[in-house]
Short mmCIF file of all heavy atoms in Angstrom, two decimals:
data_model
loop_
_atom_site.label_atom_id
_atom_site.label_comp_id
_atom_site.label_asym_id
_atom_site.label_seq_id
_atom_site.Cartn_x
_atom_site.Cartn_y
_atom_site.Cartn_z
N GLU A 324 151.75 -33.31 79.47
CA GLU A 324 152.79 -34.28 79.14
C GLU A 324 152.67 -35.52 80.02
O GLU A 324 152.85 -36.64 79.56
CB GLU A 324 154.17 -33.64 79.31
CG GLU A 324 155.28 -34.52 78.80
CD GLU A 324 156.62 -33.81 78.86
OE1 GLU A 324 156.67 -32.60 78.57
OE2 GLU A 324 157.60 -34.48 79.21
N LYS A 325 152.38 -35.33 81.30
CA LYS A 325 152.28 -36.44 82.26
C LYS A 325 150.85 -36.98 82.26
O LYS A 325 149.96 -36.41 82.88
CB LYS A 325 152.66 -35.98 83.67
CG LYS A 325 154.10 -35.58 83.83
CD LYS A 325 154.97 -36.80 83.93
CE LYS A 325 156.40 -36.41 84.27
NZ LYS A 325 157.23 -37.50 84.56
N ARG A 326 150.65 -38.10 81.54
CA ARG A 326 149.32 -38.70 81.47
C ARG A 326 149.37 -40.19 81.77
O ARG A 326 148.43 -40.92 81.52
CB ARG A 326 148.70 -38.47 80.09
CG ARG A 326 148.54 -36.97 79.80
CD ARG A 326 147.75 -36.69 78.56
NE ARG A 326 146.34 -36.79 78.89
CZ ARG A 326 145.44 -37.35 78.09
NH1 ARG A 326 145.77 -37.84 76.93
NH2 ARG A 326 144.17 -37.38 78.44
N ARG A 327 150.51 -40.65 82.31
CA ARG A 327 150.68 -42.03 82.72
C ARG A 327 151.13 -42.02 84.17
O ARG A 327 152.06 -41.30 84.54
CB ARG A 327 151.73 -42.76 81.87
CG ARG A 327 151.17 -43.41 80.66
CD ARG A 327 151.13 -42.66 79.37
NE ARG A 327 151.99 -41.51 79.21
CZ ARG A 327 151.55 -40.38 78.68
NH1 ARG A 327 150.33 -40.26 78.27
NH2 ARG A 327 152.35 -39.35 78.53
N PHE A 328 150.45 -42.86 84.98
CA PHE A 328 150.70 -42.83 86.42
C PHE A 328 150.87 -44.25 86.95
O PHE A 328 150.39 -45.21 86.36
CB PHE A 328 149.52 -42.17 87.15
CG PHE A 328 149.23 -40.79 86.63
CD1 PHE A 328 148.27 -40.60 85.66
CD2 PHE A 328 149.92 -39.69 87.11
CE1 PHE A 328 147.99 -39.33 85.17
CE2 PHE A 328 149.65 -38.42 86.62
CZ PHE A 328 148.69 -38.24 85.65
N PHE A 329 151.53 -44.33 88.10
CA PHE A 329 151.67 -45.60 88.82
C PHE A 329 151.32 -45.33 90.28
O PHE A 329 152.02 -44.58 90.94
CB PHE A 329 153.10 -46.15 88.71
CG PHE A 329 153.24 -47.54 89.26
CD1 PHE A 329 153.19 -48.63 88.41
CD2 PHE A 329 153.39 -47.76 90.62
CE1 PHE A 329 153.29 -49.92 88.91
CE2 PHE A 329 153.49 -49.05 91.13
CZ PHE A 329 153.44 -50.13 90.28
N SER A 330 150.22 -45.92 90.76
CA SER A 330 149.86 -45.75 92.17
C SER A 330 150.60 -46.83 92.96
O SER A 330 150.36 -48.01 92.76
CB SER A 330 148.35 -45.83 92.39
OG SER A 330 147.86 -47.11 92.07
N ASP A 331 151.51 -46.39 93.80
CA ASP A 331 152.37 -47.29 94.55
C ASP A 331 152.04 -47.18 96.03
O ASP A 331 152.11 -46.09 96.60
CB ASP A 331 153.84 -46.93 94.31
CG ASP A 331 154.81 -47.87 95.01
OD1 ASP A 331 154.40 -49.00 95.36
OD2 ASP A 331 155.97 -47.47 95.19
N GLY A 332 151.66 -48.28 96.61
CA GLY A 332 151.36 -48.27 98.03
C GLY A 332 151.25 -49.69 98.54
O GLY A 332 150.90 -50.60 97.80
N PRO A 333 151.53 -49.88 99.82
CA PRO A 333 151.41 -51.22 100.40
C PRO A 333 149.97 -51.69 100.44
O PRO A 333 149.03 -50.88 100.29
CB PRO A 333 151.99 -51.04 101.81
CG PRO A 333 151.84 -49.60 102.11
CD PRO A 333 151.93 -48.88 100.80
N GLY A 334 149.78 -52.99 100.64
CA GLY A 334 148.44 -53.53 100.78
C GLY A 334 147.68 -52.77 101.87
O GLY A 334 148.23 -52.47 102.92
N GLY A 335 146.43 -52.42 101.58
CA GLY A 335 145.62 -51.70 102.54
C GLY A 335 145.72 -50.19 102.45
O GLY A 335 145.10 -49.47 103.23
N SER A 336 146.48 -49.69 101.46
CA SER A 336 146.64 -48.24 101.33
C SER A 336 145.52 -47.60 100.52
O SER A 336 145.47 -46.39 100.38
CB SER A 336 148.00 -47.89 100.72
OG SER A 336 148.11 -48.43 99.41
N GLY A 337 144.62 -48.40 99.96
CA GLY A 337 143.45 -47.87 99.27
C GLY A 337 143.57 -47.75 97.77
O GLY A 337 142.86 -46.96 97.15
N LYS A 338 144.43 -48.56 97.15
CA LYS A 338 144.56 -48.50 95.69
C LYS A 338 143.25 -48.88 95.00
O LYS A 338 142.79 -48.19 94.10
CB LYS A 338 145.70 -49.41 95.22
CG LYS A 338 147.08 -48.94 95.63
CD LYS A 338 148.18 -49.82 95.11
CE LYS A 338 148.19 -51.22 95.68
NZ LYS A 338 148.46 -51.33 97.11
N THR A 339 142.64 -49.99 95.43
CA THR A 339 141.40 -50.44 94.80
C THR A 339 140.28 -49.42 94.98
O THR A 339 139.51 -49.15 94.06
CB THR A 339 140.98 -51.81 95.36
OG1 THR A 339 142.05 -52.74 95.15
CG2 THR A 339 139.73 -52.33 94.67
N PHE A 340 140.21 -48.80 96.15
CA PHE A 340 139.21 -47.76 96.39
C PHE A 340 139.44 -46.58 95.45
O PHE A 340 138.50 -46.03 94.87
CB PHE A 340 139.24 -47.31 97.86
CG PHE A 340 138.18 -46.32 98.20
CD1 PHE A 340 136.86 -46.70 98.32
CD2 PHE A 340 138.49 -44.98 98.39
CE1 PHE A 340 135.86 -45.79 98.63
CE2 PHE A 340 137.51 -44.05 98.70
CZ PHE A 340 136.18 -44.46 98.82
N LEU A 341 140.71 -46.21 95.27
CA LEU A 341 141.06 -45.13 94.34
C LEU A 341 140.64 -45.49 92.92
O LEU A 341 140.02 -44.69 92.22
CB LEU A 341 142.56 -44.84 94.39
CG LEU A 341 143.10 -43.84 93.37
CD1 LEU A 341 142.52 -42.44 93.60
CD2 LEU A 341 144.63 -43.80 93.43
N TYR A 342 140.96 -46.71 92.48
CA TYR A 342 140.59 -47.14 91.13
C TYR A 342 139.07 -47.06 90.92
O TYR A 342 138.60 -46.54 89.91
CB TYR A 342 141.02 -48.58 90.84
CG TYR A 342 142.48 -48.87 91.00
CD1 TYR A 342 142.91 -50.14 91.36
CD2 TYR A 342 143.46 -47.90 90.81
CE1 TYR A 342 144.24 -50.44 91.51
CE2 TYR A 342 144.80 -48.19 90.97
CZ TYR A 342 145.19 -49.46 91.32
OH TYR A 342 146.52 -49.76 91.47
N ASN A 343 138.33 -47.60 91.88
CA ASN A 343 136.87 -47.60 91.75
C ASN A 343 136.31 -46.18 91.76
O ASN A 343 135.37 -45.87 91.02
CB ASN A 343 136.23 -48.47 92.84
CG ASN A 343 136.38 -49.94 92.53
OD1 ASN A 343 136.18 -50.38 91.40
ND2 ASN A 343 136.76 -50.72 93.52
N THR A 344 136.89 -45.28 92.55
CA THR A 344 136.44 -43.89 92.58
C THR A 344 136.68 -43.22 91.22
O THR A 344 135.81 -42.54 90.68
CB THR A 344 137.16 -43.11 93.69
OG1 THR A 344 136.91 -43.74 94.95
CG2 THR A 344 136.70 -41.67 93.75
N ILE A 345 137.86 -43.45 90.66
CA ILE A 345 138.19 -42.88 89.35
C ILE A 345 137.28 -43.46 88.27
O ILE A 345 136.78 -42.73 87.41
CB ILE A 345 139.68 -43.13 89.01
CG1 ILE A 345 140.56 -42.32 89.95
CG2 ILE A 345 139.97 -42.79 87.56
CD1 ILE A 345 142.02 -42.72 89.92
N MET A 346 137.02 -44.77 88.34
CA MET A 346 136.13 -45.39 87.34
C MET A 346 134.73 -44.77 87.42
O MET A 346 134.14 -44.46 86.38
CB MET A 346 136.06 -46.90 87.54
CG MET A 346 137.30 -47.61 87.06
SD MET A 346 137.10 -49.40 86.97
CE MET A 346 136.89 -49.82 88.68
N HIS A 347 134.21 -44.58 88.62
CA HIS A 347 132.89 -43.99 88.77
C HIS A 347 132.88 -42.55 88.25
O HIS A 347 131.90 -42.13 87.61
CB HIS A 347 132.42 -44.04 90.22
CG HIS A 347 132.04 -45.42 90.66
ND1 HIS A 347 130.96 -46.11 90.15
CD2 HIS A 347 132.61 -46.25 91.56
CE1 HIS A 347 130.89 -47.30 90.71
NE2 HIS A 347 131.88 -47.41 91.57
N TYR A 348 133.96 -41.82 88.48
CA TYR A 348 134.04 -40.44 87.99
C TYR A 348 133.99 -40.40 86.46
O TYR A 348 133.20 -39.67 85.87
CB TYR A 348 135.31 -39.75 88.51
CG TYR A 348 135.46 -38.36 87.97
CD1 TYR A 348 134.74 -37.30 88.53
CD2 TYR A 348 136.29 -38.09 86.88
CE1 TYR A 348 134.85 -36.02 88.02
CE2 TYR A 348 136.41 -36.81 86.37
CZ TYR A 348 135.69 -35.78 86.94
OH TYR A 348 135.79 -34.52 86.42
N VAL A 349 134.85 -41.19 85.82
CA VAL A 349 134.91 -41.20 84.36
C VAL A 349 133.59 -41.69 83.76
O VAL A 349 133.07 -41.11 82.81
CB VAL A 349 136.11 -42.04 83.86
CG1 VAL A 349 136.08 -42.20 82.34
CG2 VAL A 349 137.42 -41.41 84.31
N ARG A 350 133.04 -42.75 84.35
CA ARG A 350 131.78 -43.29 83.84
C ARG A 350 130.62 -42.32 84.06
O ARG A 350 129.66 -42.32 83.28
CB ARG A 350 131.50 -44.64 84.48
CG ARG A 350 132.45 -45.71 83.96
CD ARG A 350 132.32 -47.02 84.67
NE ARG A 350 133.23 -48.01 84.09
CZ ARG A 350 133.63 -49.11 84.71
NH1 ARG A 350 133.18 -49.38 85.93
NH2 ARG A 350 134.47 -49.94 84.12
N SER A 351 130.71 -41.47 85.09
CA SER A 351 129.65 -40.47 85.32
C SER A 351 129.63 -39.43 84.20
O SER A 351 128.64 -38.73 84.00
CB SER A 351 129.83 -39.79 86.68
OG SER A 351 130.89 -38.85 86.64
N LYS A 352 130.72 -39.32 83.45
CA LYS A 352 130.82 -38.42 82.31
C LYS A 352 130.42 -39.13 81.01
O LYS A 352 130.66 -38.62 79.92
CB LYS A 352 132.25 -37.88 82.17
CG LYS A 352 132.82 -37.26 83.42
CD LYS A 352 132.14 -35.97 83.74
CE LYS A 352 132.79 -35.32 84.95
NZ LYS A 352 131.94 -34.33 85.56
N ASN A 353 129.88 -40.35 81.14
CA ASN A 353 129.51 -41.20 80.00
C ASN A 353 130.70 -41.51 79.10
O ASN A 353 130.58 -41.56 77.88
CB ASN A 353 128.36 -40.58 79.19
CG ASN A 353 127.07 -40.59 79.97
OD1 ASN A 353 126.76 -41.57 80.63
ND2 ASN A 353 126.34 -39.49 79.90
N GLU A 354 131.84 -41.70 79.72
CA GLU A 354 133.07 -42.04 79.00
C GLU A 354 133.49 -43.46 79.40
O GLU A 354 133.10 -43.96 80.46
CB GLU A 354 134.18 -41.06 79.36
CG GLU A 354 133.82 -39.63 79.08
CD GLU A 354 134.30 -39.12 77.75
OE1 GLU A 354 135.44 -38.68 77.67
OE2 GLU A 354 133.52 -39.17 76.79
N LEU A 355 134.29 -44.06 78.56
CA LEU A 355 134.71 -45.44 78.77
C LEU A 355 136.03 -45.52 79.53
O LEU A 355 137.01 -44.86 79.17
CB LEU A 355 134.85 -46.15 77.41
CG LEU A 355 135.27 -47.61 77.42
CD1 LEU A 355 134.22 -48.47 78.15
CD2 LEU A 355 135.46 -48.11 76.00
N VAL A 356 136.05 -46.31 80.59
CA VAL A 356 137.27 -46.64 81.32
C VAL A 356 137.38 -48.16 81.32
O VAL A 356 136.38 -48.85 81.53
CB VAL A 356 137.28 -46.05 82.75
CG1 VAL A 356 136.08 -46.51 83.54
CG2 VAL A 356 138.55 -46.40 83.49
N LEU A 357 138.57 -48.67 81.04
CA LEU A 357 138.77 -50.11 80.97
C LEU A 357 139.76 -50.55 82.05
O LEU A 357 140.95 -50.24 81.96
CB LEU A 357 139.29 -50.51 79.58
CG LEU A 357 138.34 -50.23 78.43
CD1 LEU A 357 139.03 -50.50 77.09
CD2 LEU A 357 137.08 -51.08 78.55
N PRO A 358 139.27 -51.26 83.07
CA PRO A 358 140.16 -51.76 84.11
C PRO A 358 140.64 -53.17 83.80
O PRO A 358 139.90 -53.99 83.27
CB PRO A 358 139.27 -51.76 85.36
CG PRO A 358 137.90 -52.03 84.82
CD PRO A 358 137.86 -51.40 83.43
N CYS A 359 141.90 -53.42 84.11
CA CYS A 359 142.44 -54.77 83.96
C CYS A 359 143.45 -55.04 85.07
O CYS A 359 143.93 -54.11 85.72
CB CYS A 359 143.06 -54.98 82.59
SG CYS A 359 144.56 -54.03 82.26
N THR A 360 143.75 -56.29 85.25
CA THR A 360 144.76 -56.70 86.23
C THR A 360 145.60 -57.80 85.59
O THR A 360 145.22 -58.34 84.55
CB THR A 360 144.11 -57.24 87.52
OG1 THR A 360 143.39 -58.43 87.22
CG2 THR A 360 143.18 -56.22 88.15
N PHE A 361 146.69 -58.13 86.23
CA PHE A 361 147.53 -59.17 85.64
C PHE A 361 146.97 -60.56 85.94
O PHE A 361 147.22 -61.49 85.19
CB PHE A 361 148.98 -59.04 86.11
CG PHE A 361 149.94 -59.79 85.23
CD1 PHE A 361 150.18 -59.37 83.94
CD2 PHE A 361 150.57 -60.93 85.68
CE1 PHE A 361 151.03 -60.08 83.10
CE2 PHE A 361 151.43 -61.64 84.86
CZ PHE A 361 151.66 -61.21 83.57
N THR A 362 146.21 -60.72 87.04
CA THR A 362 145.63 -62.03 87.35
C THR A 362 144.11 -61.93 87.39
O THR A 362 143.55 -60.86 87.63
CB THR A 362 146.12 -62.56 88.72
OG1 THR A 362 145.64 -61.70 89.75
CG2 THR A 362 147.64 -62.66 88.77
N GLY A 363 143.46 -63.05 87.19
CA GLY A 363 142.01 -63.09 87.15
C GLY A 363 141.36 -62.81 88.49
O GLY A 363 140.29 -62.20 88.55
#
């Protein structure tokens, strides 16, 4: 049921590192992950 998440942490808590780790994991399975941000 829980398939939507929000990683909440102050600057420097490793959110970007977490995102990149997850992207590498999913892509290692030959699956598509689409990252986006609100600003360029």
Side-chain angles (χ1 to χ4, degrees):
E324 188 174 321
K325 294 283 187 172
R326 299 189 82 220
R327 271 92 19 224
F328 305 94
F329 188 97
S330 65
D331 183 20
S336 62
K338 292 182 294 295
T339 303
F340 184 73
L341 174 65
Y342 303 151
N343 284 316
T344 302
I345 292 167
M346 285 192 295
H347 287 294
Y348 177 79
V349 173
R350 289 173 178 160
S351 76
K352 307 290 184 199
N353 291 319
E354 303 265 274
L355 181 62
V356 57
L357 296 173
C359 68
T360 65
F361 198 68
T362 65

